Amino acid sequence: MKLTQLMKKIGTFGAACSLALAGMSAQAQEEDTIKVGVLHSLSGTMAISETTLKDTMLMLIEEQNKKGGLLGKKLEPVVVDPASDWPLFAEKTRELITQENVDAIFGCWTSVSRKSVLPVIEELNGILFYPVQYEGEESSRNVFYTGAAPNQQAIPAVNYLMNDVGIKRWVLAGTDYVYPRTTNKILEAYLKANGVADEDIMINYTPFGHSDWQNIVSEIKRFGSQGKPTAVVSTINGDANVPFYRELGNQGVSAEDIPVVAFSVGEEELSGIDTKPLVGHLAAWNYFMSVDTDQNEAFIKKWHEFIGNKKRVTNDPMEAHYIGFNMWVKAVEKAGTTDTDAVIDAMVGVKVPNLTGGVSEMLPNHHIEKPVLIGEIQDNGQFLTVWQTEDLVPGDAWSDYLEGSKNLIADWTDPINCGNYNTKTKECLGAEAAE
């Protein structure tokens, strides 16, 4: 063999070895990190709400890495943008689990995005932490619901308006998808069970991103001009809230005339509009930035340092991610592994501090305990708490006010180990219960 040919062969072999070693090095480096999926819309109609949650997760991961990581490894965020496109949420979930090999996913805002993700997360046996209030009527072994169930937000808000404000007529206004429709179905049943007549309930739905509110606000004004105290219960989601509240101001609908209590409007959404005409309107959440506790003060300080802007606000779904992330960390430490089944089993019973001064526990139904707060919008875009529960309220996966749900419970521990267990027939109903 000629010397030049020999040198070429040695060079080719060396290059192959270098590539192989590089591949092994990359694989070893990958194994030295624990990947965390971040599944939030960074574009589209929901970006106004979800971009902040992406930033929150990056902050939490950075803070955990400063503490030494988890199980001796650094956490590595894997951020994707499902772009407010509901089928894309499912595709991105599959990508995160099968290609990126993440050990947990923190994400979604709307229920339609969560419903899109659900069959994928169950099929691939992943873990999803869902941080936003939702309609209930669901409990998956693979999902941990750190936002509010209806009994932790919608029902207490209606009780407050009914008992403390004296409301007699009700406008149930929502974006046209599963969360508002199911929540309003529950609220309509609850109102009628409390003696409210059909003619005193007005229900209206609008598409995502709806911008022309002039006629709808005019209808709300007419409905509220019948001599009975009237309120709007709003499940309007995303950037449609900005023109909705602007139109309320344009038509002079004040909180004294027709108060609005919102379930999807927090500090982040208010930061984009002039709140002076909205002072006195309400929101029901489990956390407000204005809560005066040492835990909240420390969280806000870390947030401002991380984001580099002291004007940036905090909100309820951020706290839900804070609670869910810390619960996941404790469960992984408890299990000694990131293995899905081991972590799911370890999650139930985990307790971590919330930001309102209490301690939240992960319950067997994969929901958590939360306080309920009603806040009034202030002219600085913050909320003044006007009412709150004395104790933490355990999340209820199934509504007591719907005929097909009132006998159902969720319990993912032995011996029940079921998301929709009928307490009367002693049967696990499987997927049929969600129909």
Side-chain angles (χ1 to χ4, degrees):
M1 182 181 292
K2 292 182 179 180
L3 182 60
T4 52
Q5 291 176 317
L6 178 62
M7 292 300 292
K8 283 183 180 179
K9 283 186 175 291
I10 291 172
T12 303
F13 177 73
C17 286
S18 296
L19 287 170
L21 287 170
M24 290 170 63
S25 175
Q27 184 179 0
Q29 187 175 2
E30 184 176 310
E31 290 174 354
D32 284 341
T33 65
I34 294 173
K35 290 188 173 184
V36 179
V38 181
L39 182 71
H40 282 302
S41 295
L42 311 181
S43 56
T45 188
M46 293 309 302
I48 185 177
S49 299
E50 293 194 65
T51 300
T52 294
L53 296 189
K54 178 267 294 182
D55 292 332
T56 302
M57 286 306 305
L58 295 182
M59 178 186 73
L60 293 170
I61 289 169
E62 181 181 281
E63 287 292 319
Q64 187 62 32
N65 281 336
K66 287 178 181 177
K67 297 175 185 176
L70 186 58
L71 302 182
K73 299 180 179 182
K74 291 291 185 183
L75 298 179
E76 179 185 346
V78 182
V79 178
V80 294
D81 178 17
S84 306
D85 180 336
W86 317 133
L88 193 56
F89 271 86
E91 293 178 29
K92 292 296 183 182
T93 300
R94 189 173 295 277
E95 174 186 315
L96 285 170
I97 296 174
T98 62
Q99 296 179 31
E100 298 292 346
N101 298 314
V102 300
D103 288 297
I105 297 174
F106 292 79
C108 300
W109 181 291
T110 67
S111 284
V112 67
S113 66
R114 189 193 70 256
K115 292 287 189 184
S116 177
V117 165
L118 193 59
V120 179
I121 206 85
E122 291 180 338
E123 173 200 341
L124 300 176
N125 197 29
I127 296 176
L128 172 69
F129 285 85
Y130 179 63
V132 185
Q133 87 290 343
Y134 86 120
E135 70 283 357
E137 308 305 294
E138 176 184 304
S139 180
S140 169
R141 178 179 176 274
N142 297 86
V143 180
F144 293 96
Y145 306 81
T146 55
N151 72 305
Q152 295 172 307
Q153 185 187 39
I155 297 297
V158 166
N159 282 339
Y160 170 77
L161 289 172
M162 190 181 291
N163 300 325
D164 291 46
V165 184
I167 297 301
K168 303 295 183 184
R169 303 200 94 195
W170 303 85
V171 179
L172 307 182
T175 302
D176 193 5
Y177 74 106
V178 61
Y179 162 62
R181 284 191 174 274
T182 306
T183 299
N184 287 340
K185 186 178 178 183
I186 292 168
L187 289 179
E188 185 180 12
Y190 183 72
L191 289 170
K192 289 180 178 179
N194 281 273
V196 178
D198 285 351
E199 60 267 24
D200 289 328
I201 302 173
M202 168 185 167
I203 302 176
N204 177 268
Y205 295 105
T206 47
F208 278 99
H210 188 71
S211 59
D212 183 4
W213 289 93
Q214 187 172 354
N215 290 338
I216 294 171
V217 170
S218 295
E219 288 177 20
I220 291 171
K221 285 183 70 175
R222 282 194 295 272
F223 185 77
S225 65
Q226 306 301 311
K228 293 182 179 180
T230 303
V232 177
V233 178
S234 171
T235 47
I236 299 165
N237 246 286
D239 56 9
N241 278 293
V242 175
F244 170 64
Y245 279 95
R246 186 179 294 127
E247 188 60 34
L248 290 175
N250 290 343
Q251 296 197 30
V253 179
S254 69
E256 288 77 16
D257 301 326
I258 303 176
V260 176
V261 60
F263 300 159
S264 298
V265 174
E267 293 85 348
E268 185 70 18
E269 289 75 20
L270 290 178
S271 65
I273 56 178
D274 177 14
T275 57
K276 289 183 177 63
L278 308 181
V279 170
H281 286 301
L282 305 164
W285 288 104
N286 311 106
Y287 163 88
F288 290 120
M289 184 177 181
S290 57
V291 167
D292 185 16
T293 65
D294 291 342
Q295 296 96 321
N296 191 36
E297 183 181 347
F299 180 77
I300 294 169
K301 183 180 178 182
K302 286 180 181 178
W303 171 243
H304 285 161
E305 289 173 353
F306 175 82
I307 210 70
N309 183 353
K310 288 190 175 182
K311 293 183 179 180
R312 286 290 296 275
V313 296
T314 59
N315 62 24
D316 181 284
M318 289 174 68
E319 190 218 21
H321 262 340
Y322 169 84
I323 293 170
F325 179 79
N326 289 331
M327 283 184 164
W328 175 71
V329 167
K330 286 191 74 169
V332 170
E333 291 173 339
K334 179 180 172 184
T337 177
T338 57
D339 174 75
T340 297
D341 294 328
V343 172
I344 288 174
D345 290 341
M347 278 292 299
V348 174
V350 166
K351 297 179 181 179
V352 300
N354 58 39
L355 298 178
T356 56
V359 175
S360 292
E361 178 180 356
M362 182 59 68
L363 305 173
N365 63 4
H366 287 192
H367 293 64
I368 67 174
E369 298 175 310
K370 301 169 80 76
V372 185
L373 289 71
I374 308 291
E376 279 187 0
I377 297 174
Q378 304 298 291
D379 60 8
N380 63 354
Q382 292 292 321
F383 290 90
L384 174 67
T385 301
V386 295
W387 180 89
Q388 68 182 80
T389 53
E390 292 184 9
D391 302 311
L392 299 184
V393 178
D396 191 353
W398 299 97
S399 174
D400 296 334
Y401 305 102
L402 296 181
E403 191 61 33
S405 304
K406 62 184 181 181
N407 295 323
L408 299 182
I409 63 167
D411 186 339
W412 290 106
T413 61
D414 291 331
I416 292 177
N417 213 5
C418 173
N420 36 37
Y421 180 78
N422 190 308
T423 56
K424 283 199 169 182
T425 64
K426 311 297 183 185
E427 294 177 316
C428 182
L429 301 182
E432 296 178 4
E435 294 299 322

